[in-house]
Amino acid sequence: MPLTTTYWLEHAWLGSYAEPGVALDVTDGRIAAVRTGVDAPPPGATVLRGFTVPGLANAHSHAFHRALRGTVQVGSGTFWTWREVMYAVAQRLTPDSYFALARAVYAEMALAGITAVGEFHYLHHAPGGTPYDDPNAMGEALIAAAREAGVRITLLDTAYLSAGFGAAPDHHQLRFSDGTAEKWAERVSDLKERDGVRVGAAIHSVRAVPADQLSTVARWAEERRAPLHVHLSEQTAENEACHAAHGVTPTRLLADHGVLGPRTTGVHNTHMTEADIALVGSTSTGTCMCPTTERDLADGIGPAVALQKAGSPLSLGSDSHAVIDLLEEARAMELNERLRTHIRGHWTAAALLRAASADGHAALGWNDAGTLEPGALADFTTIALDTVRTAGPVPRLAPETAVFAASAADVRHVVIGGRTVVRDGAHVSVPDTAGALAAAIAALRD
């Protein structure tokens, strides 16, 4: 008979408010029962004091960008000058060094309460573009890293075929390119899903995949009912180049080639026309906002409110990992909109938590995660309510406290699939996460 473990949650978010005294029974990695009104821990229960929420989903990650933190803050520039520094780091990575870096990055995510990551993966081949003996060696390194860090991963294997509209890949981008979308599909089809692993697709951007090959990527994802993500209208320069090449916006181009739809997520969606917003919403295409990266790269503030009102589900990502803190991403989405409109209160704390949990998991193909209810995956995160940031508010305001006051540093416990990954603020299998990060990044400078 399967073993059942009981967790007693001092306070829990059950979708709209903080419920005191909740017992979760977990069997075979899933929540078997949720009992409210449990005033004291049942005998033998694991006690989680603080505010427990469903595990957070980081819907957009480039793991190797973590090596840029601090380095790219020197001087000034734009997204395009930042990109040159990023390319230099990408050139140094091997499957072994990428595993070491990603393992530490995913452990940092777990410490921040993240239980699933969408890895937008385009670093496929050796320098110069030569495939490894295993053409998916880099993707497999990421999968292995996530497994050792204890987090679920959706590997969004990315088609990246050109340097711009009609331009062949430059020397940096040869590592990214499979040559054609057909060859990309052949390679990625060899990746296998397994426990804790989903395989999805990504189009890097309309400038990086020729228009006549967009449908090949979309068809691959459709046949497998897999998530499909795409960087969309992150920069005004991309919009202008797309107009020059095709006479339409990137959003219209994607729609014309069958890319938009309910399993598709546009990442950033920053510089959109009203027609673009209506098109994204009417097709139920998702929007992944990455506010800490968008402000770090001076991208701009995207029309998240308008997109959601039009019908686009919102998720959140840490993207370039300027910081890894989904609570900050949720807070920043609201606060950015306040700055833009001079009005407060565009989303409730509950709505922001949903974007960071259930809606993020759905964008990554984990529709059975992101809620604390029977049948859901037993993935949950406990945020302390007694730190210098969170002490003071009454417990019923725990959702507001979590979103508008707490940070990743306030995460105390993380359970994924019924297994404790973070206990008392320390990662169980990567106890010296900071040391692992420092060593992995230092190795890329040698």
Side-chain angles (χ1 to χ4, degrees), residues 279-358:
L279 191 53
V280 168
S282 67
T283 55
S284 299
T285 299
T287 295
C288 179
M289 303 297 291
C290 306
T292 65
T293 290
E294 289 151 5
R295 70 192 184 197
D296 183 58
L297 297 181
D299 286 344
I301 299 172
V305 170
L307 283 160
Q308 188 173 51
K309 286 182 177 177
S312 179
L314 298 180
S315 56
L316 297 164
S318 63
D319 194 357
S320 68
H321 312 313
V323 298
I324 294 177
D325 188 340
L326 260 288
L327 299 174
E328 172 62 20
E329 302 294 346
R331 174 164 56 245
M333 187 165 71
E334 165 67 26
L335 298 187
N336 281 354
E337 195 67 17
R338 292 182 185 186
L339 285 173
R340 192 178 69 82
T341 63
H342 302 176
I343 297 171
R344 302 175 74 237
H346 300 275
W347 292 277
T348 63
L352 293 168
L353 282 173
R354 280 194 296 274
S357 56

Side-chain angles (χ1 to χ4, degrees), residues 261-283:
R263 282 191 312 282
T264 299
T265 297
V267 181
H268 304 302
N269 293 2
T270 308
H271 301 285
M272 288 194 154
T273 66
E274 290 186 5
D276 289 338
I277 293 169
L279 191 53
V280 168
S282 67
T283 55

Side-chain angles (χ1 to χ4, degrees), residues 166-446:
D170 65 23
H171 67 284
H172 296 299
Q173 297 161 340
L174 292 173
R175 295 197 74 174
F176 311 159
S177 178
D178 290 295
T180 66
E182 288 77 12
K183 290 182 178 177
W184 166 85
E186 181 180 346
R187 177 184 55 75
V188 72
S189 294
D190 288 335
L191 284 165
K192 304 303 180 188
E193 295 192 342
R194 61 210 81 162
D195 186 38
V197 178
R198 300 267 164 87
V199 177
I203 292 165
H204 180 272
S205 55
V206 293
R207 69 178 185 275
V209 177
D212 61 359
Q213 298 185 58
L214 292 169
S215 61
T216 299
V217 183
R219 185 167 55 251
W220 186 95
E222 175 65 26
E223 289 171 352
R224 290 158 180 79
R225 314 296 289 175
L228 173 60
H229 288 214
V230 54
H231 290 134
L232 181 54
S233 288
E234 181 178 6
Q235 292 286 322
T236 54
E238 176 182 273
N239 289 1
E240 293 162 1
C242 187
H243 265 289
H246 298 290
V248 295
T249 66
T251 302
R252 182 74 257 176
L253 187 68
L254 292 175
D256 290 345
H257 290 274
V259 175
L260 302 186
R263 282 191 312 282
T264 299
T265 297
V267 181
H268 304 302
N269 293 2
T270 308
H271 301 285
M272 288 194 154
T273 66
E274 290 186 5
D276 289 338
I277 293 169
L279 191 53
V280 168
S282 67
T283 55
S284 299
T285 299
T287 295
C288 179
M289 303 297 291
C290 306
T292 65
T293 290
E294 289 151 5
R295 70 192 184 197
D296 183 58
L297 297 181
D299 286 344
I301 299 172
V305 170
L307 283 160
Q308 188 173 51
K309 286 182 177 177
S312 179
L314 298 180
S315 56
L316 297 164
S318 63
D319 194 357
S320 68
H321 312 313
V323 298
I324 294 177
D325 188 340
L326 260 288
L327 299 174
E328 172 62 20
E329 302 294 346
R331 174 164 56 245
M333 187 165 71
E334 165 67 26
L335 298 187
N336 281 354
E337 195 67 17
R338 292 182 185 186
L339 285 173
R340 192 178 69 82
T341 63
H342 302 176
I343 297 171
R344 302 175 74 237
H346 300 275
W347 292 277
T348 63
L352 293 168
L353 282 173
R354 280 194 296 274
S357 56
D359 291 343
H361 281 97
L364 298 178
W366 297 98
N367 295 302
D368 50 354
T371 60
L372 299 181
E373 59 187 30
L377 291 167
D379 299 356
F380 40 92
T381 292
T382 303
I383 300 163
L385 295 177
D386 57 358
T387 73
V388 292
R389 287 167 294 278
T390 61
V394 295
R396 68 179 176 79
L397 295 178
E400 287 74 15
T401 303
V403 171
F404 293 105
S407 76
D410 299 310
V411 170
R412 286 295 173 265
H413 311 289
V414 177
V415 174
I416 302 177
R419 183 171 65 90
T420 298
V421 175
V422 174
R423 181 183 293 115
D424 295 323
H427 198 286
V428 172
S429 60
V430 190
D432 185 11
T433 303
L437 284 163
I441 293 169
L444 299 177
R445 293 196 290 265
D446 294 342

Side-chain angles (χ1 to χ4, degrees), residues 115-139:
T115 58
V117 58
E119 184 60 40
F120 199 102
H121 166 56
Y122 55 82
L123 189 53
H124 302 306
H125 307 300
T130 302
Y132 290 101
D133 291 340
D134 174 0
N136 287 305
M138 295 295 264

